[in-house]
Amino acid sequence: MGMVGGGKDAFIGAIHRIAANMDGLIELCCGALSINPEIAKASGKELFLPEDRTYLTYDEMITKESKMPADKRIDFITIVTPNFAHFGPAMMALENGFNVVVEKPMTFTLDEAKQLKKKVEETGLQLCLTHTYSGYPMVKQARAMIKEGALGKVRKIYVEYKQGWLSKLSEREGNAQAAWRTDPKKSGKAGAMGDIGTHAAHLAEYISGLKITKLCADLNIVVEGRHLDDDGSVLLKFENNVSGVLSATQIAAGEENNLKIKIYGEKGGIEWMQQEPNTLIVKWLEKPTEILRAGGNYANVLSSFALKNCRTPGGHPEGYLEAFGNIYHNFAQTLLAKLEGKEPTKEMLDFPGAEDGVRGMAFIENVVASGQSKEKWTEFII
Amino acid sequence: MGMVGGGKDAFIGAIHRIAANMDGLIELCCGALSINPEIAKASGKELFLPEDRTYLTYDEMITKESKMPADKRIDFITIVTPNFAHFGPAMMALENGFNVVVEKPMTFTLDEAKQLKKKVEETGLQLCLTHTYSGYPMVKQARAMIKEGALGKVRKIYVEYKQGWLSKLSEREGNAQAAWRTDPKKSGKAGAMGDIGTHAAHLAEYISGLKITKLCADLNIVVEGRHLDDDGSVLLKFENNVSGVLSATQIAAGEENNLKIKIYGEKGGIEWMQQEPNTLIVKWLEKPTEILRAGGNYANVLSSFALKNCRTPGGHPEGYLEAFGNIYHNFAQTLLAKLEGKEPTKEMLDFPGAEDGVRGMAFIENVVASGQSKEKWTEFII
Amino acid sequence: MGMVGGGKDAFIGAIHRIAANMDGLIELCCGALSINPEIAKASGKELFLPEDRTYLTYDEMITKESKMPADKRIDFITIVTPNFAHFGPAMMALENGFNVVVEKPMTFTLDEAKQLKKKVEETGLQLCLTHTYSGYPMVKQARAMIKEGALGKVRKIYVEYKQGWLSKLSEREGNAQAAWRTDPKKSGKAGAMGDIGTHAAHLAEYISGLKITKLCADLNIVVEGRHLDDDGSVLLKFENNVSGVLSATQIAAGEENNLKIKIYGEKGGIEWMQQEPNTLIVKWLEKPTEILRAGGNYANVLSSFALKNCRTPGGHPEGYLEAFGNIYHNFAQTLLAKLEGKEPTKEMLDFPGAEDGVRGMAFIENVVASGQSKEKWTEFII
Amino acid sequence: MGMVGGGKDAFIGAIHRIAANMDGLIELCCGALSINPEIAKASGKELFLPEDRTYLTYDEMITKESKMPADKRIDFITIVTPNFAHFGPAMMALENGFNVVVEKPMTFTLDEAKQLKKKVEETGLQLCLTHTYSGYPMVKQARAMIKEGALGKVRKIYVEYKQGWLSKLSEREGNAQAAWRTDPKKSGKAGAMGDIGTHAAHLAEYISGLKITKLCADLNIVVEGRHLDDDGSVLLKFENNVSGVLSATQIAAGEENNLKIKIYGEKGGIEWMQQEPNTLIVKWLEKPTEILRAGGNYANVLSSFALKNCRTPGGHPEGYLEAFGNIYHNFAQTLLAKLEGKEPTKEMLDFPGAEDGVRGMAFIENVVASGQSKEKWTEFII
């Protein structure tokens, strides 16, 4: 693995390294860790990278690594820069034969996303999009149950993502995370809807197996002086005329990272909360609520998709880093299978990809357009 | 107290009797308990009513009771019939000098509601509307905290009310409750939005102290063959440009009576769930979350409005019937104070009234209109 | 109903009145409400008792009431005085043909308890002991499930009762409740073990259906200056060689009324918490945990014993007062059935009685003896 | 790092590798992974170990590694064999100048433990004992708060550890974990008390800062045919005359890994549950309960000991593997500091060591002796 971005002054890079590292299949071999050469070098040293593989630009990294012998060359490149700087390294990596892991949202614009997707299809390479929350085993369990029809026909989807960390104008108080995420030039057209709304939308589509078809958005800038939405709620229509509601806010003072989803079908409903991720609540119309729990020992209860993503027996809580690790693990196993000429299993292939990336960018564009429209329902256009 | 409706075949009448009875201030003295004379008589007997005060119609009851001497005559009439039969007895009671308790929604149409409100104002009598959930002490605590500015300026309101009991077409399977509540001739213009949406809207306005000003509704009939909405979500604007979301559904299979509200201000947020009503979660932007608990012994923590509505010390759970009882208790104390020529305290007067009834009916009319409109935002018109 | 004790300055009397009153079967007709004549009279007036049935002593009340005609005379006497003043009125009531409701612990000494029990058996009258917590529907559900063998053979019982209200020497700071409950002359041999330990022991025996046979107690006076135990833990053996642990403390600062019980059998376990009483958690060895909920609409899930003690559908929380009301309701229905010459059903008879009162007093004596013993295990002697 | 035990057929070895690997400071360089040479070799290959550092015995590994040049030689040896095989490699490692990580309980007998402790003191090397649960940040927060006196003088300690996985005689059904853990020759004198009771005892002493001084144990073999205790409860006395209760059971059918601790002081109490480890509940005598949460962004709330052991901001749950990782991380930082000639900080040194190991073995010996004694209280002897 080579990393673009993620120097010592960044947040998500460290998370990616722990996640990639977790299951012993992936090693960080090189990096272009910062646009600041000082930081790039210092970060490389801190991460025990050899000096000659501590690059100053992604261009240099991709160019030099692509010339290395196959047994030394990295297999993929992870891109953890701010949104506006995803497309360049991702496209160049694909063009040079490297698989790619990229933070969400996949790109800065929908058009870039479509180009990447096209390139992925042309090259046959793998692109992995780190929609972390779909890496949790109980999310996969919910998806599997709905797919198998356990709840009957899906009827209603509620998803909410509440944070409070942008309750003040922190972007003016030296908070680097806040600064780029609320800056239209770095973040893109949307603020909260891009940063966390895309996670919520992806989760809803991933678990329900249904795609958004129409939407009606109310986007707000609550904190005066901010340049992008920090709060919003969206009425949704999904395929099969299923309705839903998505809320995403970063001004819910006192909330941490409160992502919840509830999906109801004819026979029952599921409820999952990211802050207690090892539990899946399954409510039934005509029998008692059941509490399903993550754990590698629940082979008689959990689907193969959930089980594959548990490392420990029930009662040994796994969390955010493990969910992140699952995405890397599945991606790495897919690459390994392909290297060995084998067909990856459908459990291995269960990580978000370019198609999810395009839908995420389309969500941003559509939700912003709807927010500005006087019309009630607008079509979800890609 | 005299009761209209609430015979042995009814549901909510029994609840009203327990609630009224709870604190020893109110006695059931007469009733017109059913339009079916057999049931009316049998119910009167079962409730130990004297035969001569077991009436067959509300007309008869009001006429005869109004002629009784002051020390025997009832002080108020409780109306627990289906929605379409609220206005008649309520208006007649007021016209004959009786105070009134009436189930929500107050009337069948907004116009009736306005007439009742006008009559209340003219007569100076009390009308109490049983929006039960505002009777819980921790709801009152939340309202008091927001009023005092503990959370800073309110920024966002989420309220949801999820039930699952109409997941099937139960109105065709002999469920009497389902039958009248889904029948436009008995229930009114709205189904779920009238039955439970009005509770949610009232709770949001009651706790936040802010009135709804605009709305954008998505109403659905999910169960095929039904004649009124059984599901809906509404984007809201409140005074002060506060935005919100209200969801009400009766097809969330596996849900019981899951009413939740979350309100966020600049400094923190409150969270209350009807199914665990003795707890108020208070989240803070810059300090740990606090768990406030109901209990008559928490004089140093709770507001006078909350304390007055607790009967027991902390840890002795009070529930739905006690919340209902609080409404009756406050109403009865208001009547007593007036009988004794005293000014009721503001804590006594803390029960929903005719103004809330008008707003509830307006909510129904507005939400139905918005649901049918292609326009995004419609004004909340009374 | 006539009441002994429970004047305006008391706590539990008001609770008994709400509970007795709840279901419309019981009316307070007379009382000897205080040993202070002023308070007795004022309390009677406040409760709308006729002056001639507002007595100054229980002796006067029982004597006069027993001479009244059958259709006016009370059916039973409720005793809500401090522990040392239970036996006198209870015995006199039974001797004069009145049924009795008495607060726990039943008496001041084990010997008194045995006498009462004997008198109950001789007279055929009903004695009801208000172990409130056994009145909760989900407690009855747990008992029914264990009785039916749903958990297999019971293996382990944990019961804990934690309060914090005696964390300070409140008995010296004008707290009347604290004063008598920590006074050996009014409370008896035990403090916390008598006040709340007896509830815990009763609950364990009631739900499990197993009787305590041996015990090993550690009793402590934690707050300096106190005269009775305010904290204790007891290792237990029950019938069938089942082991258990009981903890009762009143110095757990920050706890309200935290009574919890967990019982495990071969196939699964139950968990119930008084502070969330409408939920029964059922854990299974080989399938997901189930959440059983109180509610009159769960006829397909709950036992007849649980269902009979629900007034509302699921999701309308019932609490402490309703549990208390269930005890009175069942007791009243038993009396009514007998008055009508019918056999009370086993669901009606499901309230604690004289036998439970004797076991409670024996628990106090045994646990105090064990606490003082250097021997590990002592037999539970009656 | 070199590993003894933990081949492909083992459980805890994989956990140790993830934990050691998590923060990028530790690399697995060699191993004697199994007493079965086939498994040892296959496991080494799977873990990408070089063939010449894949050893067949710990003796071989320690001998050869100790002869390597300093820059290639491992810094420490991790021992993850069953209990009976801890002492040999640990002692030999220390004698050859290697630091040691060892699974709990530290040894097979108390005597061995004392020898190890002595050797650690003589050599000045570090020994780290993986009492995982003390690695959680909110456990460290609880300890820090008690140490600082936030709760006032500690008064009562409750700790319970409930599992259900030995509800059947699984040791006879091919469960390898069950087989050695219930075998006195491999596990030691105690079953559940050794396997999980030692964790509970360590947690109680670690958080409270108080040592056990006396105990009174009830140990049981519940599942017929088993050779070691699978259930037990212990009355405890700690320093300062604080009393407590410890329960440990592996026959609580339906429980996963339910470790809970509650400690009460004069002013309030703390409550922590391993299955929701990111939350610390702090109850107060005279103000509302507070919910403290793990998260690297809570610098104004959490102690330095808690903060150092968080990798992510609040709301990104960290779990068992991260807690385990914290122990390795602190241990590794201590070694690094010493290598660099620096004094490790007290936060770095916050991992369990040889003294904890001796106390753990003493707990096993004392609790077994007390279980067999007819005396109530026995002294905790080392």
Side-chain angles (χ1 to χ4, degrees), chain C residues 156 158 216 218 233-235 244-245 247 376, chain D residues 157-159 193 197 200-201 212 214-220 229 231-238 243-248 363 366-368 370-371 376-378 380:
Chain C
K156 190 82 192 182
Y158 301 96
C216 168
D218 174 30
S233 299
V234 193
L235 302 176
V245 190
S247 291
K376 191 165 174 179
Chain D
I157 298 170
Y158 300 97
V159 62
M193 277 297 156
I212 297 169
K214 290 186 201 176
L215 70 180
C216 168
D218 175 30
L219 300 197
N220 304 293
D229 60 284
D231 170 81
S233 298
V234 193
L235 303 175
L236 297 170
K237 298 289 177 190
F238 291 81
S243 67
V245 190
L246 180 154
S247 290
F363 176 79
N366 280 287
V367 85
V368 168
S370 169
K376 192 166 173 177
W377 292 106
T378 58
F380 187 93

Side-chain angles (χ1 to χ4, degrees), chain C residues 68-100:
Chain C
M68 286 199 177
D71 65 330
K72 266 209 88 177
R73 192 172 53 200
I74 51 173
D75 295 298
F76 69 94
I77 285 172
T78 284
I79 299 161
V80 295
T81 49
N83 305 348
F84 74 97
H86 288 179
F87 178 74
M91 184 54 92
M92 185 175 173
L94 291 169
E95 287 169 345
N96 285 274
F98 292 108
N99 299 286
V100 168

